[in-house]
Amino acid sequence: MCGIIGVLGNHEVAPLLVESLKRLEYRGYDSAGIATVNGGKLDRRRAVGKLVHLSDLLVHHPLAGHAGIGHTRWATHGAATENNAHPHASGPVTVVHNGIIENFRALREKLAPHGLLPSTDTDTETVAMLCAHYMAGGMDPRAAVQATVADLDGAFALLFLFSGEDDLMIAARKGSPLAIGHGDGEMFVGSDAIALAPMTDQITYLEEGDIAFVTRAGAEIIDACGAPARRAKQRIETQSTVIDKAGHKHFMTKEIHEQPVVMAEALARYAPNGMPVFPDALDFTRFDRVVMVACGTGFYSCLTAKYWFEQIARIPCEVDVASEFRYREPPIAPRTLAIFVSQSGETADTLAALRYATGRADMVLSLVNVGTSSIARESDLALAILAGIEVSVASTKAYTNQLTVLALLALHAARAKGSLDNGALRAHIEDLRAVPDLMRQTLALDSQIAAMAGTLAPAPSVLFLGRGVMFATALEAALKMKELSYIHAEAYASGELKHGPIALIDPSLPVVVIAPHDRLFDKTVSNMQEVMARHGRVHLITDAAGAKSARAGTAGVLELPAAGDLAAPILYALPAQLLAYHTAMAKGTDIDQPRNLAKSVTVE
Ligand code: F6R
């Protein structure tokens, strides 16, 4: 969602703020802004759209000061306008915010009789107004922020700066992450370690309910009860925060091409000797069922794993999107393992679902890409998916590494449940170990995939079909297509086509069928024939055996190397990603930062 940065420095901070915002832009890019305090006076610059517009503005209207805060916005309340851009100001207070203040309307009503009326459409401005109101009543900034935060409902990370105070920033965390960075006579606050990496590798993560009073001398932290709190300082590997495209045109292609390497790393960690290895606590003899919860792409990796847990380990598995699970309040039976999958580890709905399961499920396990994230910290056990930093808003390598770890987890479960003998287990792992090489071969098909994408780009809509576990792959392919190319895309289980969506079939609707030559292939081909009989335009993604038996009548076939059953959903994610990428390239959309999206979704 939004990105936050704050610097109490020894020289001009505007360039540092902009540099950090560049690293936070993946969180939102509707507008950006910075505020500084200079000679005791607050001033700010804000611009709509990407950070480059703010940088341009600063060239002509520079902002001086050694203390400042900055923000990159993913709009929730109010359109993406300069007036709604952060930092928001009221009297001596300016503030940046990530999250949602749910009771902002009630607070506005409380403030109106005091002559404090909103001038923006945002919930955030109310925070500045409330704090300014408390200061007008005689409170100092520290007391005013404490009183303000006590009045707020919702989830937020807040960072305040005050006129007349060039050695004070106040940070508050409830529901959205914040980290303090320690420098040499300088102090920093940021949404994450990535933002702080150019300035420091010494980080303190705030806990839920913490308020931090930050001066150049250090940070004083109080907890949710107002008691002084000690929070550990950690050294962050700066390598893990390096952000560069390594010669690629986009982060997305770089990350797509990293998949063979990061998948091999996950295999080396969780199957070092050809057998699954997980912490002892993950003892599947304790569990009779699995519940899996995630959002977006993570949900599709869970849906894939459902097939694996049920078919291979013979464990009933329920899968839900976090935003439904959290309010559905499902009963959780005894002996349940609850698994939460999140690349960022900060997704608000997934975190809330995890909190619901805590104390109800026998164990709360998370699969995350950010080991210091809230979801990792609140789980009984967190497994790193080891994908490395993912910058492109559309998830690629995190998805395939989620699948890799989930596949190994299903095999680990199968071993504990006795549903697979060691020979079969080893064969599955050998199949998985072959995938990095198969991925390289698949990446070499780039120009064929680009050609297929060229025929999809003019279409108003694309339909993806898959059967069995490949249904989940089709769903992920459709998600990638819509978020990158803005083309409407849907996915159906191919057997479901005849129950309604077949009415859509005509020559203008490209139908992409994702079907390795597995035990369900012939059934999928029958559905494909139903499409072609109605002059539907079918693009088939399959392997050599599949191509041989089903090429006739298609508009095109992409032939992938043959992969084992467990390996196929991982391998087939790559053409799905590249198809969306090349379609988006043909349409000229913003690949790494598609419109309306953000990488880390910390609001409901
Ligand atoms: C799609 C995508 C999103 C995320 C979803 C969950 O390409 O990236 O659908 O998968 O917002 O995010 P995480 O995994 O961080 O919880």
Side-chain angles (χ1 to χ4, degrees):
M1 292 290 88
C2 306
I4 288 178
I5 182 68
V7 179
L8 294 178
N10 293 327
H11 36 73
E12 294 302 323
V13 291
L16 275 184
L17 293 172
V18 172
E19 174 58 29
S20 291
L21 289 179
K22 210 177 279 169
R23 301 167 71 85
L24 284 171
E25 206 178 11
Y26 72 92
R27 287 174 162 260
Y29 29 84
D30 288 329
S31 64
I34 62 173
T36 59
V37 58
N38 187 30
K41 277 182 63 186
L42 281 174
D43 200 358
R44 56 185 171 157
R45 302 282 182 270
R46 299 171 298 162
V48 176
K50 295 220 172 174
L51 189 60
V52 64
H53 298 122
L54 177 67
S55 304
D56 288 351
L57 179 71
L58 286 165
V59 170
H60 302 290
H61 303 280
L63 197 56
H66 291 193
I69 57 177
H71 187 267
T72 174
R73 179 171 187 238
W74 186 81
T76 59
H77 296 64
T81 60
E82 184 183 333
N83 193 45
N84 287 334
H86 301 218
H88 286 287
S90 179
V93 181
T94 184
V95 68
V96 288
H97 167 217
N98 172 22
I100 288 180
I101 308 299
E102 288 172 356
N103 60 336
F104 80 101
R105 285 188 190 82
L107 293 172
R108 276 183 177 177
E109 279 167 27
K110 174 176 158 173
L111 292 166
H114 302 280
L116 288 165
L117 299 173
S119 60
T120 76
D121 307 316
T122 67
D123 52 342
T124 308
E125 186 194 17
T126 320
V127 178
M129 284 160 51
L130 191 59
C131 189
H133 170 64
Y134 283 126
M135 286 180 71
M139 288 186 189
D140 68 12
R142 293 171 189 240
V145 168
Q146 277 181 266
T148 300
V149 167
D151 286 348
L152 304 179
D153 292 338
F156 49 80
L158 293 165
L159 184 60
F160 296 83
L161 191 71
F162 306 88
S163 59
E165 301 274 355
D166 72 356
D167 191 21
L168 179 67
M169 295 187 289
I170 304 181
R173 175 198 165 138
K174 187 184 155 208
S176 297
L178 267 185
I180 310 263
H182 305 261
D184 189 8
E186 298 182 304
M187 289 292 287
F188 314 98
V189 175
S191 295
D192 57 29
I194 300 171
L196 300 176
M199 279 98 75
T200 181
D201 61 356
Q202 303 292 319
I203 305 284
T204 300
Y205 285 97
L206 294 185
E207 302 279 336
E208 276 302 283
D210 281 357
I211 298 180
F213 307 104
V214 184
T215 65
R216 288 182 181 79
E220 247 176 72
I221 301 174
I222 58 171
D223 66 17
C225 306
R230 287 182 69 82
R231 305 289 178 226
K233 199 192 278 184
Q234 312 175 18
R235 195 173 163 275
I236 299 295
E237 280 296 324
T238 43
Q239 192 52 34
S240 67
T241 57
V242 170
I243 297 189
D244 87 89
K245 292 185 192 153
H248 287 268
K249 195 161 181 184
H250 297 102
F251 282 108
M252 186 182 181
T253 33
K254 175 191 168 227
E255 289 161 7
I256 288 173
H257 284 81
E258 281 172 350
Q259 290 175 106
V261 173
V262 295
M263 179 177 177
E265 279 165 15
L267 287 167
R269 167 76 67 90
Y270 297 111
N273 305 309
M275 280 303 216
V277 175
F278 287 96
D280 291 344
L282 207 44
D283 172 6
F284 273 88
T285 61
R286 288 171 53 199
F287 311 125
D288 290 339
R289 55 190 62 75
V290 170
V291 169
M292 303 186 74
V293 181
C295 302
T297 286
F299 173 68
Y300 297 136
S301 60
C302 293
L303 200 57
T304 310
K306 175 182 167 70
Y307 287 84
W308 293 335
F309 277 115
E310 294 189 341
Q311 288 175 349
I312 299 172
R314 310 303 299 156
I315 300 179
C317 180
E318 201 187 305
V319 179
D320 208 345
V321 287
S323 54
E324 287 302 309
F325 181 87
R326 62 183 290 190
Y327 293 114
R328 194 161 56 84
E329 300 182 353
I332 296 186
R335 295 175 60 80
T336 295
L337 170 67
I339 305 179
F340 297 84
V341 176
S342 174
Q343 187 282 131
S344 63
E346 300 294 350
T347 301
D349 285 322
T350 311
L351 185 58
L354 180 150
R355 287 179 181 152
Y356 174 79
T358 301
R360 292 184 168 91
D362 278 60
M363 185 176 186
V364 168
L365 170 70
S366 62
L367 265 64
V368 290
N369 202 28
V370 182
T372 51
S373 60
S374 306
I375 287 176
R377 285 187 288 138
E378 293 195 27
S379 309
D380 296 325
L381 178 67
L383 298 176
I385 59 161
L386 305 172
I389 187 165
E390 193 180 65
V391 176
S392 162
V393 166
S395 189
T396 54
K397 60 178 180 165
Y399 177 66
T400 44
N401 265 32
Q402 285 163 358
L403 290 178
T404 303
V405 179
L406 287 168
L408 292 171
L409 211 52
L411 293 175
H412 182 60
R415 178 150 74 159
K417 293 290 183 190
S419 60
L420 272 190
D421 62 30
N422 277 354
L425 208 61
R426 280 188 194 285
H428 277 303
I429 291 190
E430 277 317 302
D431 280 349
L432 290 174
R433 282 179 151 182
V435 176
D437 265 346
L438 303 181
M439 282 176 161
R440 288 188 185 93
Q441 293 170 38
T442 302
L443 293 171
L445 304 175
D446 192 57
S447 55
Q448 286 181 52
I449 299 172
M452 187 186 283
T455 70
L456 301 188
S461 186
V462 179
L463 183 62
F464 288 86
L465 297 179
R467 194 179 262 271
V469 71
M470 300 316 281
F471 170 43
T473 312
L475 284 162
E476 169 62 4
L479 176 63
K480 287 284 102 79
M481 184 59 77
K482 54 192 147 201
E483 66 183 326
L484 285 161
S485 71
Y486 315 152
I487 293 178
H488 169 253
E490 270 201 82
Y492 268 89
S494 47
E496 188 64 11
L497 184 71
K498 56 192 172 290
H499 299 291
I502 199 162
L504 296 171
I505 302 298
D506 72 20
S508 71
L509 178 75
V511 180
V512 180
V513 178
I514 303 180
H517 194 264
D518 58 15
R519 71 188 171 92
L520 301 176
F521 181 75
D522 290 339
K523 307 222 172 276
T524 307
V525 170
S526 304
N527 305 131
M528 207 172 99
Q529 297 295 347
E530 291 155 12
V531 172
M532 293 191 301
R534 289 161 180 83
H535 310 291
R537 193 152 49 97
V538 169
H539 299 270
L540 175 63
I541 303 181
T542 184
D543 47 29
K548 192 166 171 224
S549 79
R551 181 183 299 275
T554 63
V557 175
L558 182 72
E559 203 177 299
L560 265 51
D565 283 351
L566 205 55
I570 306 176
L571 184 67
Y572 279 64
L574 273 62
Q577 296 161 355
L578 286 170
L579 198 57
Y581 174 80
H582 286 295
T583 309
M585 283 291 279
K587 296 204 71 174
T589 56
D590 189 336
I591 305 253
D592 282 332
Q593 296 180 334
R595 70 182 180 203
N596 305 337
L597 295 177
K599 184 84 184 148
S600 175
V601 186
T602 53
V603 296
E604 276 195 51

